[in-house]
Amino acid sequence: MATFLYKLGRLSFRRRHFVALIWVALLTLAGVGAASAPAAGNSSFSIPGTEAQKAFDLLEQRFPGTSADGATARVVFKAPSGEKMTDPGNKATVQDTVKELSDGSEVVRVTDPYRAKAVSKDGTIAYAQVSYKVSGMELDDAAKDALEDSAQDARKAGLTVEIGGDALQAVPHTGSSEVIGIAVAAVVLVITFGSLVAAGLPLLTALIGVGIGVSAITGLASALDLGTTTSTLAMMIGLAVGIDYALFIVSRYRAELAEGREREEAAGRAVGTAGSAVVFAGLTVVIALVGLSVVNIPMLTKMGIAAAGTVAIAVLIALTMVPALLGYAGRRVKPMGEKGKLLGRTAKQKPERPNLGTRWASFVVRRPLAVLLLGVIGLGAAAVPATSLELGLPDDGSQPTSTTQRRAYDLLSEGFGPGFNGPLMVVVDAKNSDDPKAVFSETGDAIKGLKDVVTVTPAQPNKAGDTATITVIPGSKPSSVTTENLVHGIRDAGADIKADTEAGVLVTGSTAMNIDVSEKLNDALVPYLVLVVGLAFLLLIVVFRSILVPLKAALGFLLSVMAALGAVVAVFQWGWLSGLMGVEQTGPVMSMMPIFMVGVVFGLAMDYEVFLVTRMREAYVHGEKPAQAVVTGFRHGARVVTAAAVIMMAVFAGFIGSSESMVKMIGFGLAIAVFFDAFIVRMAIVPAVLALLGRTAWWLPKWLDRALPNVDVEGEGLRAASGDDDGDRELVRV
């Protein structure tokens, strides 16, 4: 592989005009496609195989034309202090609003609060429910404007009016913190390279790669039902790895220049050596992201594949466009150790003066057991909060208090109880029953006898009379454990009814769907871990030609991801530092968070493992003792890996400013996970373990050594072809 990539790097350097033209053409094509494509809204949400989804599908069949998947809005009214919603003036205002809402072309029906008994017991709060023909993502702007205008008219009459439901979706934004993250990355690159030109190359190539990836996602969003979160996460991951991969290529190029090689040769060798590490690091990220499809949640699968595509683009750009731009930069990119005019031109550093990475690695090699224990205990302590992890999906209660959805949620809780925001819909399928009406009545009575039930509405049968819906209002808020227990209680009661009457009882609604999603994700976590870690473990055996090094890499990853989950629980569930992070409402951790963090963090963790340890292996196979090889790997790689980690943390932390709770949580989780993995696991635990293992770390059974393909990540073939091997250093067979 090193030889092929070496030739690719030289070709890209030499034919830089052609390479640059190809990438600019792809960026233009993707941009035009994104600009001309229809706008996409929030991705539709379906969970195949769950009871909530089965009930939803049954409603589509048995209640045709009712737009079961249509958007809904709850217009919540509150009377001024000292008044009630039943007062003649307030009642007239509400009825005018209901009439105004009913005139919409996409409106199916609007409930009158006074006929539907949707007025609170104290008479201060009432609500009207609006049902639409189409889903929230398909609802046109005119319908949304009409909804907001009607609320505004009622406000002018003196009422407090807020709108909840999925008809109005808050457009997520990341704020200025995303720009700050990129600015931090730029500063780190300038400090690392000492040159604006060298620092600008990783940023430029990463932005081009992300531009192509996100534009392609935007262009295909409507056709493939991709939501706004998909492109945001692809941007987050693509930008981070794009900068890192280009950073490693440019750093290796400068090191090759420092050894006296010509620029084209240096570009070829940089791509042949560091590029090999980029390929395998990118493969681990792609495996982890594509592996999310095993969960069988379409939205998660699309997010993973879209982000994986952006990572693949970042790898291709690092292998081709980076050497092409190095050709354009010419002498403005200085050899390693030589500063540009920005920081002052200096002589090359004296070889005998050890850098910080060398001094740190030497310390770890001298005290491996103490460093190992301190790192493991520290990460273990950070992981303790993860033992109280509670999972759920965000609802309007997790929205910022500045949004009308959140204020409507709070008003409904105040007037009708917290469970009113998460009603359960029970679907009774009595098609195989002899007496459907009796089954409907029996089901309602059984539900009334369960704990935490506030209201059970009479059964509403379809025209055929063989299926009915029953609405159940819990006593607890939608994300509570008590509501989850109620859902399971209704399903258990439904199993008994089915045994007696052959009638099916299914529970659906957004609350039940969230519960089913959480359970499905929990069930899929172990198979996902086995698949992704197993495939990456085999890949790393090929890269490092070792059993213990990949095993150590996987165990280190588990430590860092558990510590990161602990930090997420502490901030978003317990409320520690919540004000600093902009978390207005604590609650369960998003149910997708653990499995998504496992996938992304594993891929990123293997990035640093590959970049750092391949340098160690390169030194070891060329004759250095195991302990010295660890120090050599840090001397060449620690500075760059540190810069890459800081950049990635800055990029992820930039998304903490997002108004969407899912993006905020993922941004924080990935940033803290990179910190734990890069600075504690890879910089401390990894060298400590390798120092303790010695030559054993690089052991591989002879039969497996013969069976594995030689991918030559160390560039051994390049050295042999050019006669660079030192005469007094014999290659070690491992």
Side-chain angles (χ1 to χ4, degrees):
M1 175 180 285
T3 303
F4 169 76
L5 293 178
Y6 165 77
K7 294 178 180 178
L8 178 64
R10 292 196 62 167
L11 178 65
S12 299
F13 186 96
R14 191 167 56 251
R15 304 292 185 188
R16 48 187 172 273
H17 301 310
F18 179 69
V19 172
L21 182 62
I22 289 177
W23 284 112
V24 171
L26 288 174
L27 179 60
T28 303
L29 183 64
V32 171
S36 58
N42 294 287
S43 177
S44 59
F45 197 74
S46 63
I47 312 296
T50 61
E51 179 173 316
Q53 187 65 45
K54 291 176 182 176
F56 183 83
D57 295 339
L58 183 64
L59 286 174
E60 290 286 330
Q61 297 174 9
R62 303 288 176 84
F63 291 82
T66 57
S67 302
D69 63 340
T72 59
R74 280 181 171 178
V75 183
V76 188
F77 306 89
K78 183 176 182 180
S81 179
E83 298 182 17
K84 292 188 176 183
M85 292 305 303
T86 52
D87 293 346
N90 294 333
K91 185 175 182 179
T93 299
V94 171
Q95 290 177 332
D96 288 343
T97 303
V98 169
K99 183 178 180 181
E100 184 179 348
L101 288 170
S102 302
D103 294 336
S105 59
E106 294 183 324
V107 174
V108 176
R109 62 183 175 276
V110 182
T111 60
D112 185 321
Y114 304 100
R115 294 182 180 179
K117 298 181 180 179
V119 180
S120 62
K121 289 182 179 180
D122 62 3
T124 60
I125 297 174
Y127 75 92
Q129 181 153 315
V130 187
S131 301
Y132 293 89
K133 298 176 182 177
V134 296
S135 63
M137 62 177 294
E138 297 171 320
L139 198 63
D140 62 31
D141 292 338
K144 295 180 180 180
D145 292 341
L147 182 61
E148 292 176 329
D149 290 343
S150 63
Q152 188 60 35
D153 291 341
R155 290 189 187 107
K156 291 178 181 178
L159 299 178
T160 298
V161 186
E162 304 296 346
I163 304 171
D166 60 354
L168 290 182
Q169 293 288 346
V171 179
H173 60 275
T174 55
S176 59
S177 55
E178 180 186 353
V179 178
I180 294 173
I182 296 176
V184 171
V187 171
V188 173
L189 288 169
V190 171
I191 294 173
T192 303
F193 292 137
S195 164
L196 283 175
V197 175
L201 289 180
L203 278 176
L204 177 61
T205 54
L207 289 172
I208 290 174
V210 168
I212 294 173
V214 173
S215 295
I217 292 170
T218 304
L220 298 172
S222 180
L224 300 181
D225 192 22
L226 304 177
T228 54
T229 304
T230 303
S231 59
T232 303
L233 295 176
M235 180 192 303
M236 181 192 303
I237 296 168
L239 192 60
V241 300
I243 294 175
D244 278 7
Y245 294 165
L247 169 63
F248 283 105
I249 299 288
V250 175
S251 297
R252 189 59 182 253
Y253 171 76
R254 297 178 71 230
E256 296 293 337
L257 288 179
E259 294 182 11
R261 293 189 172 86
E262 294 295 328
R263 294 187 176 274
E264 183 177 330
E265 176 70 11
R269 285 178 172 270
V271 176
T273 52
S276 298
V278 166
V279 169
F280 282 99
L283 276 175
T284 58
V285 180
V286 169
I287 287 172
L289 291 171
V290 173
L292 291 170
S293 58
V294 303
V295 184
N296 195 27
I297 294 179
M299 186 181 77
L300 196 59
T301 299
K302 293 171 186 176
M303 287 165 55
I305 292 176
T310 308
V311 172
I313 292 171
V315 171
L316 292 174
I317 283 185
L319 298 178
T320 57
M321 192 168 188
V322 170
L325 292 180
L326 288 172
Y328 283 117
R331 297 185 179 276
R332 283 170 289 185
V333 176
K334 307 296 180 182
M336 186 73 73
E338 187 176 333
K339 303 290 186 181
K341 292 182 179 179
L342 180 66
L343 298 181
R345 188 180 300 278
T346 63
K348 293 183 180 180
Q349 294 178 353
K350 296 179 180 180
E352 63 271 14
R353 181 184 178 187
N355 59 21
L356 181 60
T358 302
R359 296 196 299 272
W360 169 250
S362 299
F363 170 78
V364 174
V365 167
R366 290 195 307 269
R367 303 282 191 275
L369 188 58
V371 172
L372 176 62
L373 290 176
L374 187 62
V376 171
I377 291 172
L379 289 177
V384 169
T387 57
S388 62
L389 175 68
E390 295 178 8
L391 298 177
L393 283 178
D395 54 22
D396 284 347
S398 62
Q399 295 268 11
T401 53
S402 58
T403 63
T404 187
Q405 291 94 335
R406 172 61 188 277
R407 292 195 293 264
Y409 179 98
D410 292 339
L411 284 177
L412 287 171
S413 296
E414 177 187 342
F416 301 93
F420 200 80
N421 284 291
L424 305 174
M425 180 178 287
V426 179
V427 183
V428 185
D429 179 9
K431 191 172 185 178
N432 297 325
S433 174
D434 296 333
D435 189 355
K437 290 184 178 180
V439 172
F440 300 154
S441 178
E442 181 182 348
T443 302
D445 292 340
I447 295 172
K448 289 177 183 177
L450 298 175
K451 293 181 180 179
D452 201 49
V453 173
V454 174
T455 304
V456 178
T457 65
Q460 301 292 323
N462 61 351
K463 291 182 179 180
D466 58 6
T467 307
T469 60
I470 299 173
T471 300
V472 180
I473 305 298
S476 304
K477 63 181 182 178
S479 58
S480 69
V481 176
T482 307
T483 301
E484 182 178 348
N485 293 335
L486 174 60
V487 171
H488 291 302
I490 295 174
R491 288 172 175 170
D492 291 341
D496 295 336
I497 292 172
K498 185 173 184 179
D500 295 337
T501 65
E502 296 187 2
V505 178
L506 305 174
V507 185
T508 189
S510 60
T511 301
M513 183 72 81
N514 290 351
I515 292 170
D516 287 351
V517 169
S518 298
E519 292 178 352
K520 187 165 187 174
L521 287 166
N522 283 336
D523 294 341
L525 184 57
V526 172
Y528 174 71
L529 269 174
V530 171
L531 173 68
V532 172
V533 176
L535 288 176
F537 181 76
L538 295 176
L539 184 65
L540 292 178
I541 289 177
V542 174
V543 174
F544 296 127
R545 306 193 76 79
S546 164
I547 297 293
L548 295 180
V549 171
L551 180 61
K552 172 263 309 168
L555 293 177
F557 152 73
L558 291 176
L559 272 175
S560 59
V561 79
M562 288 304 297
L565 277 175
V568 169
V569 170
V571 173
F572 291 89
Q573 187 175 311
W574 291 0
W576 293 4
L577 301 178
S578 58
L580 181 64
M581 297 297 166
V583 180
E584 296 186 7
Q585 180 71 32
T586 59
V589 173
M590 183 186 64
S591 55
M592 291 184 183
M593 188 68 189
I595 200 163
F596 190 82
M597 180 179 282
V598 164
V600 176
V601 174
F602 182 78
L604 300 180
M606 294 308 102
D607 276 4
Y608 300 120
E609 181 76 13
V610 170
F611 288 131
L612 196 58
V613 180
T614 47
R615 272 291 197 171
M616 298 178 189
R617 175 176 167 78
E618 185 176 343
Y620 178 69
V621 299
H622 287 92
E624 292 188 8
K625 293 181 179 180
Q628 184 57 40
V630 171
V631 176
T632 300
F634 267 75
R635 182 172 70 247
H636 291 296
R639 179 182 175 89
V640 180
V641 168
T642 299
V646 172
I647 289 169
M648 197 170 280
M649 288 168 57
V651 172
F652 288 148
F655 288 85
I656 296 175
S658 173
S659 63
E660 189 164 322
S661 59
M662 182 170 71
V663 175
K664 181 190 292 288
M665 189 179 295
I666 289 177
F668 171 79
L670 294 183
I672 198 71
V674 168
F675 171 78
F676 287 145
D677 196 87
F679 293 106
I680 299 180
V681 174
R682 308 303 154 190
M683 291 290 184
I685 294 177
V686 165
V689 171
L690 290 177
L692 289 170
L693 291 176
R695 293 184 181 275
T696 309
W698 306 106
W699 170 79
L700 186 71
K702 291 183 178 180
W703 64 268
L704 185 57
D705 187 28
R706 291 191 297 268
L708 291 177
N710 183 12
V711 295
D712 190 20
V713 176
E714 303 84 16
E716 182 181 322
L718 300 182
R719 294 173 183 267
S722 60
D724 282 356
D725 290 314
D726 297 338
D728 59 343
R729 291 172 69 183
E730 184 178 341
L731 292 179
V732 177
R733 184 67 177 170
V734 293

